[in-house]
Amino acid sequence: DLRPLSSGGIGSQPVHMTPERPVEDQLVELRRDECLALLRQAVVGRIGLVVDDFAVIVPVGFRTVGDGDDMVIAIRARSGSAADHAATATFQVDAVDGYHHEGWSVLVRARVEHHLDEAGPALPEAQLVSWVDGRDRWLVLRPVTISGRRLRAADVELPSLGAYL
Protein backbone atom coordinates (compact mmCIF):
# COMPACT_ATOMS: atom_id res chain seq x y z
CA ASP A 1 0.00 0.00 0.00
CA LEU A 2 1.81 3.13 -1.22
CA ARG A 3 -0.85 5.65 -0.26
CA PRO A 4 0.62 8.58 1.64
CA LEU A 5 -0.59 8.82 5.22
CA SER A 6 -2.10 12.07 6.43
CA SER A 7 0.50 14.18 8.17
CA GLY A 8 -1.83 15.78 10.75
CA GLY A 9 -0.24 18.32 13.02
CA ILE A 10 0.46 18.44 16.71
CA GLY A 11 -2.75 18.18 18.63
CA SER A 12 -4.68 16.92 15.61
CA GLN A 13 -6.08 13.97 17.61
CA PRO A 14 -7.64 14.14 21.07
CA VAL A 15 -5.20 12.75 23.60
CA HIS A 16 -7.87 10.66 25.39
CA MET A 17 -8.62 8.72 22.17
CA THR A 18 -5.04 7.69 21.36
CA PRO A 19 -4.63 3.90 21.66
CA GLU A 20 -1.75 2.53 23.68
CA ARG A 21 1.29 1.78 21.56
CA PRO A 22 1.38 -1.94 20.80
CA VAL A 23 4.54 -3.92 21.44
CA GLU A 24 4.33 -5.71 18.06
CA ASP A 25 5.09 -2.68 15.85
CA GLN A 26 6.83 -3.61 12.63
CA LEU A 27 9.59 -1.62 10.95
CA VAL A 28 9.85 -2.75 7.33
CA GLU A 29 12.56 -1.81 4.82
CA LEU A 30 11.06 -0.47 1.58
CA ARG A 31 12.20 -1.73 -1.81
CA ARG A 32 13.79 0.81 -4.16
CA ASP A 33 10.71 0.88 -6.44
CA GLU A 34 8.51 1.65 -3.40
CA CYS A 35 10.86 4.47 -2.38
CA LEU A 36 10.73 5.96 -5.90
CA ALA A 37 6.92 5.77 -5.95
CA LEU A 38 6.69 7.60 -2.62
CA LEU A 39 9.19 10.24 -3.79
CA ARG A 40 7.10 10.86 -6.91
CA GLN A 41 3.93 11.33 -4.82
CA ALA A 42 5.37 13.95 -2.46
CA VAL A 43 5.62 17.68 -3.26
CA VAL A 44 7.52 18.92 -0.20
CA GLY A 45 10.62 17.34 1.28
CA ARG A 46 13.55 18.33 3.46
CA ILE A 47 17.08 18.90 2.26
CA GLY A 48 19.91 18.37 4.73
CA LEU A 49 23.26 20.10 4.33
CA VAL A 50 26.32 20.76 6.48
CA VAL A 51 26.91 24.50 6.92
CA ASP A 52 29.71 25.81 9.13
CA ASP A 53 30.14 22.34 10.69
CA PHE A 54 26.45 22.06 11.63
CA ALA A 55 23.59 20.17 10.03
CA VAL A 56 20.96 22.40 8.44
CA ILE A 57 17.65 20.87 7.41
CA VAL A 58 15.02 22.93 5.58
CA PRO A 59 11.73 22.13 3.84
CA VAL A 60 11.71 22.59 0.07
CA GLY A 61 9.37 22.10 -2.86
CA PHE A 62 10.78 19.67 -5.40
CA ARG A 63 10.06 17.59 -8.44
CA THR A 64 11.40 14.20 -9.40
CA VAL A 65 12.54 13.90 -13.01
CA GLY A 66 13.26 10.68 -14.84
CA ASP A 67 12.82 7.19 -13.57
CA GLY A 68 14.79 4.28 -12.16
CA ASP A 69 18.55 4.83 -12.01
CA ASP A 70 18.21 8.05 -14.05
CA MET A 71 15.84 9.74 -11.56
CA VAL A 72 16.99 13.08 -10.13
CA ILE A 73 15.43 15.53 -7.70
CA ALA A 74 15.10 19.14 -8.92
CA ILE A 75 14.87 21.95 -6.35
CA ARG A 76 14.66 25.73 -6.79
CA ALA A 77 17.16 27.75 -4.73
CA ARG A 78 18.49 31.29 -4.45
CA SER A 79 22.00 32.62 -4.83
CA GLY A 80 23.76 32.89 -1.50
CA SER A 81 21.70 30.18 0.18
CA ALA A 82 23.16 27.46 2.39
CA ALA A 83 23.04 25.10 -0.59
CA ASP A 84 25.00 27.42 -2.87
CA HIS A 85 28.29 25.52 -2.52
CA ALA A 86 27.13 22.11 -1.31
CA ALA A 87 28.64 19.12 -3.09
CA THR A 88 26.53 16.54 -1.28
CA ALA A 89 23.18 16.55 0.48
CA THR A 90 20.57 14.34 2.04
CA PHE A 91 16.93 14.59 1.05
CA GLN A 92 13.99 13.13 2.92
CA VAL A 93 10.22 12.77 2.48
CA ASP A 94 7.85 11.13 4.91
CA ALA A 95 4.32 10.82 6.19
CA VAL A 96 3.25 10.20 9.77
CA ASP A 97 -0.02 9.02 11.30
CA GLY A 98 0.46 9.88 14.97
CA TYR A 99 -2.88 8.45 16.00
CA HIS A 100 -2.18 4.95 14.68
CA HIS A 101 1.60 5.15 15.27
CA GLU A 102 2.35 4.44 11.61
CA GLY A 103 4.33 6.16 8.92
CA TRP A 104 6.98 5.91 6.26
CA SER A 105 10.20 7.70 5.41
CA VAL A 106 12.42 7.81 2.32
CA LEU A 107 16.01 9.04 2.57
CA VAL A 108 18.17 9.98 -0.43
CA ARG A 109 21.90 10.63 -0.17
CA ALA A 110 22.97 12.57 -3.24
CA ARG A 111 25.57 14.57 -5.11
CA VAL A 112 24.50 18.15 -5.83
CA GLU A 113 24.72 19.94 -9.18
CA HIS A 114 24.22 23.71 -9.38
CA HIS A 115 22.60 25.40 -12.38
CA LEU A 116 21.74 29.03 -13.06
CA ASP A 117 18.24 29.78 -14.31
CA GLU A 118 19.49 30.75 -17.76
CA ALA A 119 21.28 27.44 -18.25
CA GLY A 120 18.60 25.41 -16.50
CA PRO A 121 19.28 21.93 -15.29
CA ALA A 122 18.76 20.51 -18.81
CA LEU A 123 15.62 18.96 -17.39
CA PRO A 124 12.77 20.64 -19.26
CA GLU A 125 10.15 18.44 -17.59
CA ALA A 126 11.15 19.78 -14.16
CA GLN A 127 8.94 22.88 -14.56
CA LEU A 128 8.99 23.57 -10.83
CA VAL A 129 7.43 26.82 -9.67
CA SER A 130 8.90 28.00 -6.38
CA TRP A 131 6.53 28.93 -3.56
CA VAL A 132 8.96 31.75 -2.67
CA ASP A 133 10.13 34.57 -4.96
CA GLY A 134 13.80 35.13 -5.75
CA ARG A 135 14.80 31.58 -6.62
CA ASP A 136 17.33 32.00 -9.44
CA ARG A 137 19.08 28.63 -9.32
CA TRP A 138 18.38 24.95 -9.71
CA LEU A 139 19.80 22.29 -7.46
CA VAL A 140 19.81 18.86 -9.02
CA LEU A 141 20.28 15.99 -6.60
CA ARG A 142 21.72 12.86 -8.22
CA PRO A 143 21.04 9.97 -5.82
CA VAL A 144 23.92 7.84 -4.59
CA THR A 145 21.68 5.79 -2.27
CA ILE A 146 17.92 5.63 -1.75
CA SER A 147 16.46 3.85 1.26
CA GLY A 148 13.16 3.81 3.06
CA ARG A 149 11.26 2.31 5.94
CA ARG A 150 7.63 1.88 6.86
CA LEU A 151 6.39 1.56 10.42
CA ARG A 152 3.20 -0.46 10.70
CA ALA A 153 1.51 -0.76 14.06
CA ALA A 154 -0.01 -4.06 15.02
CA ASP A 155 -3.79 -4.22 15.20
CA VAL A 156 -5.02 -2.38 18.27
CA GLU A 157 -8.39 -3.01 19.82
CA LEU A 158 -9.86 0.36 20.71
CA PRO A 159 -12.20 0.69 23.69
CA SER A 160 -15.89 0.70 22.81
CA LEU A 161 -17.61 4.06 22.51
CA GLY A 162 -19.81 3.00 25.44
CA ALA A 163 -16.85 3.64 27.72
CA TYR A 164 -17.05 7.35 26.83
CA LEU A 165 -20.84 7.76 27.02
Side-chain angles (χ1 to χ4, degrees), residues 64-78:
T64 58
V65 180
D67 204 8
D69 292 336
D70 296 326
M71 188 275 301
V72 296
I73 298 167
I75 300 170
R76 301 290 288 154
R78 66 175 170 72

Side-chain angles (χ1 to χ4, degrees), residues 17-27 96-103 150-158:
M17 290 295 290
T18 302
E20 289 189 29
R21 186 175 180 83
V23 177
E24 307 86 40
D25 286 359
Q26 294 182 337
L27 193 57
V96 176
D97 179 340
Y99 181 73
H100 294 105
H101 301 179
E102 294 183 333
R150 181 181 299 276
L151 176 64
R152 289 192 188 274
D155 291 335
V156 176
E157 188 172 322
L158 296 174

Side-chain angles (χ1 to χ4, degrees), residues 3 5 18 26 64 81 115 126-127 152 160-161 163 165:
R3 290 175 307 171
L5 300 171
T18 302
Q26 294 182 337
T64 58
S81 71
H115 301 271
Q127 297 300 315
R152 289 192 188 274
S160 73
L161 289 178
L165 299 176

Side-chain angles (χ1 to χ4, degrees), residues 108-130:
V108 178
R109 296 182 346 174
R111 302 205 186 290
V112 179
E113 296 175 3
H114 303 267
H115 301 271
L116 295 174
D117 252 1
E118 301 79 45
L123 302 168
E125 63 270 38
Q127 297 300 315
L128 179 63
V129 176
S130 178

Side-chain angles (χ1 to χ4, degrees), residues 7-141:
S7 55
I10 294 174
S12 63
Q13 296 294 328
V15 173
H16 68 279
M17 290 295 290
T18 302
E20 289 189 29
R21 186 175 180 83
V23 177
E24 307 86 40
D25 286 359
Q26 294 182 337
L27 193 57
V28 179
E29 295 292 323
L30 297 174
R31 296 183 322 266
R32 182 180 173 86
D33 62 316
E34 292 174 309
C35 292
L36 293 175
L38 291 167
L39 275 167
R40 283 191 293 273
Q41 289 178 12
V43 293
V44 174
R46 285 174 284 291
I47 188 169
L49 306 162
V50 175
V51 178
D52 298 327
D53 296 326
F54 289 94
V56 175
I57 302 167
V58 294
V60 293
F62 74 100
R63 175 89 30 93
T64 58
V65 180
D67 204 8
D69 292 336
D70 296 326
M71 188 275 301
V72 296
I73 298 167
I75 300 170
R76 301 290 288 154
R78 66 175 170 72
S79 297
S81 71
D84 220 9
H85 302 289
T88 60
T90 57
F91 184 78
Q92 190 252 342
V93 295
D94 63 17
V96 176
D97 179 340
Y99 181 73
H100 294 105
H101 301 179
E102 294 183 333
W104 57 263
S105 175
V106 174
L107 179 67
V108 178
R109 296 182 346 174
R111 302 205 186 290
V112 179
E113 296 175 3
H114 303 267
H115 301 271
L116 295 174
D117 252 1
E118 301 79 45
L123 302 168
E125 63 270 38
Q127 297 300 315
L128 179 63
V129 176
S130 178
W131 293 8
V132 180
D133 292 337
R135 303 301 189 228
D136 59 350
R137 295 184 169 276
W138 285 96
L139 297 181
V140 175
L141 306 184

